[in-house]
Amino acid sequence: MRLLLAEDDSDLGPRLKRYLDRQGFAVDLFDNGVDAEHYGSETPYDVMVLDLGLPQRPGLEVLDHW
């Protein structure tokens, strides 16, 4: 299962990615809303997890644009 993870916390994001990788997910981690929106529009993901307080573009705005 392919998962987009958008989290800007430099400790939490990589920890979540490692955990989800171990659970069998293929995880792409992005630390800002612009990149998350771009890749979420171009790549088919099964699950998308968005931080609401992302830099450059908030998570709710990313969701609205999708």
Side-chain angles (χ1 to χ4, degrees):
M1 188 174 276
R2 188 143 192 199
L3 187 145
L4 180 148
L5 174 61
E7 173 56 62
D8 65 317
D9 185 295
S10 61
D11 291 324
L12 180 59
R15 279 193 332 214
L16 284 171
K17 181 181 180 342
R18 282 191 303 276
Y19 174 79
L20 292 166
D21 285 338
R22 287 193 307 264
Q23 300 307 309
F25 290 94
V27 180
D28 294 327
L29 174 62
F30 302 98
D31 64 358
N32 69 77
V34 172
D35 290 342
E37 181 179 324
H38 171 75
Y39 284 95
S41 296
E42 299 293 319
T43 306
Y45 287 98
D46 299 298
V47 177
M48 297 176 177
V49 179
L50 295 172
D51 179 355
L52 297 180
L54 292 168
Q56 299 180 19
R57 186 164 297 144
L60 287 178
E61 190 174 321
V62 170
L63 184 59
D64 186 49
H65 289 173
W66 284 336

